[in-house]
Amino acid sequence: MDVRRNQKIAQQVERWDLYARLTPTIFLVGSLFLILFKIINFETAFYVGLVGFAFTAVIWWWWAIFTIKYLVTVLNRTSKNLQDTAIEISQISTEVKQLKDDT
Amino acid sequence: MTPNTYGLIKSATNVISGISMIAIIVLGAAYMSFSNAFVFQDVKIEIVNNPVEQSRDIEFMMIGSKKFECNSTEVYGTAYHADGHMHRLDKFTKQYTRNTRPGEPVPNQWHMKVPDDMVEGGVYRVSMTGNFVCNYLIFQTEKSQTYDNILLEVEPR
């Protein structure tokens, strides 16, 4: 389940990366084109950009919070499991040593 | 696509995206500053021939500086009497200087005809309103600015 979710997060990061890479240029070129041909004016482009920026910021913020929360949970669980494994290995090695001593 | 080409394309899109983002932020900030600014700064308007005699027009004098290139499309005044009635002043007998240069205080003056229905005379408070088209860099917008409370005294006609 963790593996599937980790893959999902990796995909989401890739999508954010692509979005950050393309959106500013597409918006800038698109707006300049529409303004040049008088389809929209600067005010419209400004407010569309502002709304887009705000929308992106809010969505990204919540995505980042939930992802960090998930990653911290996974990190804690992994640390605990590693600690348990280390204790078990230590116990096993003690037992093996005792067995060797007995024989 | 080879990993090298992929890396190059990725780097190029990163740089283009960064430059676009900077351009959007700079243009957005410049547009906000432009659209929120008043047309005239340090502006003062006065009527210099109070009380206006029977045969005279109302003589306005103004000084102010403009931050941007702005051209007026409509200028009019509204004279408010203490008892509530008002008159529109929009007949120029001497025109003001259009499209004064931005950046420094420029004096300007104009004369306006006393409205025909202002026969009883009296003391008025005039509001002068100007509508403008302003240009800055690649931006253009319409602006309006009003200067209130100019004292006008008119002798009975």
Side-chain angles (χ1 to χ4, degrees):
Chain A
M1 191 175 160
D2 273 357
V3 174
R4 204 185 302 158
R5 196 155 177 199
N6 290 350
Q7 279 173 348
K8 214 173 157 185
I9 285 175
Q11 280 173 356
Q12 286 170 355
V13 171
E14 279 296 318
R15 273 187 225 131
W16 275 115
D17 186 39
L18 191 70
Y19 180 76
R21 215 184 287 276
L22 298 180
T23 314
T25 312
I26 289 171
F27 175 74
L28 187 71
V29 173
S31 298
L32 288 177
F33 179 81
L34 292 174
I35 288 165
L36 200 69
F37 288 97
K38 297 191 188 303
I39 297 164
I40 59 168
N41 57 16
F42 276 109
E43 200 175 356
T44 311
F46 176 77
Y47 283 113
V48 167
L50 203 66
V51 168
F53 190 80
F55 192 72
T56 305
V58 170
I59 299 278
W60 182 84
W61 177 252
W62 286 107
W63 176 83
I65 284 175
F66 283 116
T67 307
I68 289 167
K69 191 181 159 195
Y70 169 73
L71 291 177
V72 169
T73 309
V74 169
L75 189 71
N76 281 341
R77 198 164 54 218
T78 311
S79 301
K80 193 176 169 294
N81 289 346
L82 272 173
Q83 213 171 6
D84 291 347
T85 311
I87 290 166
E88 278 173 20
I89 287 171
S90 154
Q91 283 170 349
I92 289 167
S93 55
T94 313
E95 281 171 20
V96 169
K97 201 178 169 190
Q98 274 176 357
L99 273 173
K100 271 184 184 172
D101 290 344
D102 289 346
T103 54
Chain B
M1 190 186 291
T2 61
N4 256 353
T5 319
Y6 180 72
L8 268 175
I9 290 171
K10 218 172 169 181
S11 307
T13 50
N14 270 343
V15 171
I16 293 166
S17 162
I19 292 168
S20 303
M21 205 65 203
I22 290 167
I24 289 169
I25 290 167
V26 168
L27 288 174
Y31 182 74
M32 262 207 298
S33 155
F34 169 61
S35 69
N36 288 333
F38 287 106
V39 177
F40 283 103
Q41 295 171 326
D42 304 321
V43 58
K44 184 180 175 184
I45 303 177
E46 270 182 348
I47 291 165
V48 291
N49 64 333
N50 275 329
V52 181
E53 293 163 5
Q54 276 188 358
S55 56
R56 300 281 297 276
D57 294 322
I58 309 166
E59 296 175 15
F60 287 87
M61 190 95 185
M62 172 190 162
I63 189 153
S65 63
K66 289 193 295 190
K67 195 175 175 185
F68 307 108
E69 284 282 355
C70 293
N71 199 14
S72 57
T73 54
E74 187 186 17
V75 176
Y76 62 91
T78 312
Y80 298 91
H81 194 269
D83 68 10
H85 72 271
M86 62 176 90
H87 303 274
R88 187 176 163 97
L89 311 174
D90 54 6
K91 291 191 176 104
F92 287 86
T93 52
K94 183 185 171 191
Q95 280 288 344
Y96 53 93
T97 310
R98 309 276 171 121
N99 201 16
T100 52
R101 61 190 172 276
E104 56 185 291
V106 178
N108 208 340
Q109 55 181 323
W110 63 93
H111 295 183
M112 294 181 105
K113 192 173 179 290
V114 176
D116 296 334
D117 54 352
M118 210 182 246
V119 283
E120 76 278 15
V123 177
Y124 296 84
R125 304 224 170 250
V126 178
S127 289
M128 281 303 301
T129 303
N131 297 326
F132 304 87
V133 173
C134 295
N135 298 308
Y136 175 60
L137 300 174
I138 52 170
F139 309 122
Q140 186 178 70
T141 193
E142 290 176 3
K143 286 175 182 280
S144 184
Q145 189 168 354
T146 301
Y147 189 100
D148 291 320
N149 216 4
I150 309 162
L151 182 68
L152 167 66
E153 291 173 52
V154 180
E155 289 187 348
R157 319 253 113 190

